[in-house]
PDB file of all heavy atoms in Angstrom:
ATOM      1  N   PRO A  96      16.278   8.477  -2.711  1.00  0.00           N
ATOM      2  CA  PRO A  96      15.481   8.415  -1.476  1.00  0.00           C
ATOM      3  C   PRO A  96      16.099   9.262  -0.367  1.00  0.00           C
ATOM      4  O   PRO A  96      17.318   9.300  -0.207  1.00  0.00           O
ATOM      5  CB  PRO A  96      15.516   6.926  -1.117  1.00  0.00           C
ATOM      6  CG  PRO A  96      15.761   6.225  -2.420  1.00  0.00           C
ATOM      7  CD  PRO A  96      16.626   7.141  -3.218  1.00  0.00           C
ATOM      8  N   GLY A  97      15.255   9.981   0.371  1.00  0.00           N
ATOM      9  CA  GLY A  97      15.748  10.829   1.450  1.00  0.00           C
ATOM     10  C   GLY A  97      14.646  11.731   1.956  1.00  0.00           C
ATOM     11  O   GLY A  97      13.485  11.619   1.547  1.00  0.00           O
ATOM     12  N   ASP A  98      15.007  12.654   2.890  1.00  0.00           N
ATOM     13  CA  ASP A  98      13.992  13.522   3.471  1.00  0.00           C
ATOM     14  C   ASP A  98      13.788  14.804   2.661  1.00  0.00           C
ATOM     15  O   ASP A  98      13.011  15.674   3.025  1.00  0.00           O
ATOM     16  CB  ASP A  98      14.332  13.855   4.923  1.00  0.00           C
ATOM     17  CG  ASP A  98      15.685  14.556   5.045  1.00  0.00           C
ATOM     18  OD1 ASP A  98      16.337  14.787   3.998  1.00  0.00           O
ATOM     19  OD2 ASP A  98      16.081  14.860   6.182  1.00  0.00           O
ATOM     20  N   MET A  99      14.534  14.960   1.527  1.00  0.00           N
ATOM     21  CA  MET A  99      14.283  16.043   0.571  1.00  0.00           C
ATOM     22  C   MET A  99      13.922  15.402  -0.763  1.00  0.00           C
ATOM     23  O   MET A  99      14.629  14.503  -1.234  1.00  0.00           O
ATOM     24  CB  MET A  99      15.524  16.927   0.399  1.00  0.00           C
ATOM     25  CG  MET A  99      15.250  18.229  -0.372  1.00  0.00           C
ATOM     26  SD  MET A  99      15.131  18.038  -2.165  1.00  0.00           S
ATOM     27  CE  MET A  99      16.837  17.863  -2.607  1.00  0.00           C
ATOM     28  N   VAL A 100      12.802  15.839  -1.313  1.00  0.00           N
ATOM     29  CA  VAL A 100      12.325  15.264  -2.574  1.00  0.00           C
ATOM     30  C   VAL A 100      12.396  16.341  -3.650  1.00  0.00           C
ATOM     31  O   VAL A 100      11.746  17.389  -3.544  1.00  0.00           O
ATOM     32  CB  VAL A 100      10.870  14.758  -2.441  1.00  0.00           C
ATOM     33  CG1 VAL A 100      10.412  14.127  -3.749  1.00  0.00           C
ATOM     34  CG2 VAL A 100      10.753  13.777  -1.282  1.00  0.00           C
ATOM     35  N   ALA A 101      13.214  16.098  -4.689  1.00  0.00           N
ATOM     36  CA  ALA A 101      13.282  17.016  -5.829  1.00  0.00           C
ATOM     37  C   ALA A 101      12.277  16.559  -6.874  1.00  0.00           C
ATOM     38  O   ALA A 101      12.335  15.423  -7.361  1.00  0.00           O
ATOM     39  CB  ALA A 101      14.681  17.036  -6.412  1.00  0.00           C
ATOM     40  N   LEU A 102      11.338  17.444  -7.195  1.00  0.00           N
ATOM     41  CA  LEU A 102      10.286  17.126  -8.164  1.00  0.00           C
ATOM     42  C   LEU A 102      10.511  17.886  -9.460  1.00  0.00           C
ATOM     43  O   LEU A 102      10.874  19.068  -9.458  1.00  0.00           O
ATOM     44  CB  LEU A 102       8.911  17.539  -7.628  1.00  0.00           C
ATOM     45  CG  LEU A 102       8.245  16.700  -6.548  1.00  0.00           C
ATOM     46  CD1 LEU A 102       6.927  17.359  -6.155  1.00  0.00           C
ATOM     47  CD2 LEU A 102       7.989  15.286  -7.055  1.00  0.00           C
ATOM     48  N   SER A 103      10.297  17.200 -10.572  1.00  0.00           N
ATOM     49  CA  SER A 103      10.164  17.867 -11.863  1.00  0.00           C
ATOM     50  C   SER A 103       8.699  17.787 -12.261  1.00  0.00           C
ATOM     51  O   SER A 103       8.062  16.725 -12.127  1.00  0.00           O
ATOM     52  CB  SER A 103      11.017  17.182 -12.932  1.00  0.00           C
ATOM     53  OG  SER A 103      12.371  17.482 -12.740  1.00  0.00           O
ATOM     54  N   LEU A 104       8.153  18.906 -12.720  1.00  0.00           N
ATOM     55  CA  LEU A 104       6.752  18.942 -13.137  1.00  0.00           C
ATOM     56  C   LEU A 104       6.651  19.641 -14.487  1.00  0.00           C
ATOM     57  O   LEU A 104       7.568  20.353 -14.912  1.00  0.00           O
ATOM     58  CB  LEU A 104       5.877  19.690 -12.127  1.00  0.00           C
ATOM     59  CG  LEU A 104       5.816  19.121 -10.716  1.00  0.00           C
ATOM     60  CD1 LEU A 104       6.747  19.895  -9.802  1.00  0.00           C
ATOM     61  CD2 LEU A 104       4.385  19.176 -10.181  1.00  0.00           C
ATOM     62  N   CYS A 105       5.522  19.449 -15.156  1.00  0.00           N
ATOM     63  CA  CYS A 105       5.309  20.115 -16.445  1.00  0.00           C
ATOM     64  C   CYS A 105       3.815  20.359 -16.626  1.00  0.00           C
ATOM     65  O   CYS A 105       2.992  19.486 -16.323  1.00  0.00           O
ATOM     66  CB  CYS A 105       5.835  19.245 -17.592  1.00  0.00           C
ATOM     67  SG  CYS A 105       5.780  20.067 -19.187  1.00  0.00           S
ATOM     68  N   ALA A 106       3.478  21.560 -17.101  1.00  0.00           N
ATOM     69  CA  ALA A 106       2.097  21.863 -17.465  1.00  0.00           C
ATOM     70  C   ALA A 106       1.872  21.474 -18.920  1.00  0.00           C
ATOM     71  O   ALA A 106       2.790  21.581 -19.748  1.00  0.00           O
ATOM     72  CB  ALA A 106       1.812  23.358 -17.277  1.00  0.00           C
ATOM     73  N   ALA A 107       0.677  21.031 -19.245  1.00  0.00           N
ATOM     74  CA  ALA A 107       0.354  20.657 -20.625  1.00  0.00           C
ATOM     75  C   ALA A 107       0.575  21.848 -21.556  1.00  0.00           C
ATOM     76  O   ALA A 107       0.308  22.993 -21.185  1.00  0.00           O
ATOM     77  CB  ALA A 107      -1.099  20.188 -20.704  1.00  0.00           C
ATOM     78  N   PRO A 108       1.081  21.602 -22.776  1.00  0.00           N
ATOM     79  CA  PRO A 108       1.355  22.710 -23.701  1.00  0.00           C
ATOM     80  C   PRO A 108       0.102  23.393 -24.234  1.00  0.00           C
ATOM     81  O   PRO A 108       0.205  24.437 -24.878  1.00  0.00           O
ATOM     82  CB  PRO A 108       2.147  22.037 -24.828  1.00  0.00           C
ATOM     83  CG  PRO A 108       1.768  20.598 -24.764  1.00  0.00           C
ATOM     84  CD  PRO A 108       1.489  20.296 -23.327  1.00  0.00           C
TER      85      PRO A 108
END
Side-chain angles (χ1 to χ4, degrees):
D98 59 1
M99 191 282 284
V100 182
L102 285 178
S103 286
L104 299 100
C105 186

